[in-house]
Amino acid sequence: MYNSDMPTRAELPSTKQLVRSTLIALVSAIVILVAVILPAEYAIDPTGVGKVLGLTEMGEIKNQLEQEAATDNAAKQTVVIVETNASVTATESTAESASVVQTSEAQAPEWKDTIFLTLKPGQGAEVKLVMAKGQTATFDWKSKGGPVNYDTHGDGNGRSISYEKGRGVPNDQGELVAAFTGNHGWFFRNRNADTVMVILKTNGEYAEMKRVL
């Protein structure tokens, strides 16, 4: 029924060969773990290879981001305690408490979208928001590992506009108002000798965020 020939005993790998292949695979896995995974994920670089390849810095950036995220979560869980004076009426006390809570919420805005852009030396990236004319988006971005060049601009329906440009800027925040219906956002370029990570957070009136480069 089958035309294929069964392998002979001589053609099958010996036990010695199997053990040797297993040991080679095990050693290769250990080398990859020590030289690549540990530097890139945990900033642990016992061999120094990770620093040469730029992986150790990526691991340090990830660790720093995790620490910042933990700090943000702890801040959100902080309970705001409002002490009222015994002589203040119940109505005034309630209004004061509401005012304090609203102020606290204004200081810690909720973000609709967050994107992380890892840029190697000389690499660029572009992120756009789909917006209608007159819509406003709030943004906050910062670069970990070094400043970047950026260009805030828009395009659509044959039109284009440049809102703002900067060189060697570590961070920026503000509002982006669409001059016309189309795609509006940011282009980032890393001119450093090392890899950087740009963290962009946005909120407001837009249909979607998309990375176009």
Side-chain angles (χ1 to χ4, degrees), residues 91-137:
T91 302
E92 293 175 341
S93 177
T94 301
E96 182 181 356
S97 299
S99 176
V100 172
V101 172
Q102 290 176 359
T103 302
S104 176
E105 291 178 351
Q107 293 175 351
E110 294 291 335
W111 297 105
K112 183 177 179 181
D113 290 294
T114 300
I115 187 170
F116 299 86
L117 307 171
T118 301
L119 303 180
K120 297 179 180 179
Q123 185 178 5
E126 187 172 12
V127 179
K128 291 291 185 65
L129 305 179
V130 180
M131 306 174 68
K133 180 179 179 180
Q135 288 188 330
T136 302

Side-chain angles (χ1 to χ4, degrees), residues 2 33 48 55 80 110 134 167 194 202-203 208:
Y2 299 101
L33 174 65
L55 301 174
V80 179
E110 294 291 335
R167 291 180 177 274
D194 300 315
T202 59
N203 197 1
E208 65 172 318

Side-chain angles (χ1 to χ4, degrees), residues 45-213:
D45 189 15
T47 64
V49 175
K51 183 176 182 180
V52 175
L53 299 178
L55 301 174
T56 303
E57 185 175 1
M58 294 178 61
E60 293 174 349
I61 292 175
K62 290 182 179 179
N63 288 340
Q64 186 174 3
L65 291 176
E66 291 177 356
Q67 293 175 1
E68 292 181 356
T71 303
D72 291 341
N73 290 333
K76 291 180 181 179
Q77 295 174 0
T78 302
V79 178
V80 179
I81 302 176
V82 181
E83 298 180 357
T84 58
N85 191 290
S87 61
V88 180
T89 62
T91 302
E92 293 175 341
S93 177
T94 301
E96 182 181 356
S97 299
S99 176
V100 172
V101 172
Q102 290 176 359
T103 302
S104 176
E105 291 178 351
Q107 293 175 351
E110 294 291 335
W111 297 105
K112 183 177 179 181
D113 290 294
T114 300
I115 187 170
F116 299 86
L117 307 171
T118 301
L119 303 180
K120 297 179 180 179
Q123 185 178 5
E126 187 172 12
V127 179
K128 291 291 185 65
L129 305 179
V130 180
M131 306 174 68
K133 180 179 179 180
Q135 288 188 330
T136 302
T138 304
F139 68 89
D140 185 337
W141 66 261
K142 56 185 175 181
S143 177
K144 297 288 187 179
V148 294
N149 298 348
Y150 76 95
D151 179 7
T152 307
H153 62 283
D155 59 73
N157 299 320
R159 302 179 62 182
S160 62
I161 185 173
S162 179
Y163 296 105
E164 186 178 20
K165 294 182 180 181
R167 291 180 177 274
V169 181
N171 56 71
D172 191 22
Q173 60 181 353
E175 291 186 343
L176 175 60
V177 181
F180 49 83
T181 299
N183 302 313
H184 304 264
W186 304 262
F187 175 81
F188 300 99
R189 175 80 70 181
N190 177 20
R191 291 301 187 185
N192 299 282
D194 300 315
T195 299
V196 303
M197 177 176 288
V198 176
I199 307 166
L200 171 63
K201 300 177 182 180
T202 59
N203 197 1
E205 303 170 319
Y206 60 90
E208 65 172 318
M209 169 192 279
K210 58 183 180 180
R211 179 172 180 176
V212 295
L213 176 64

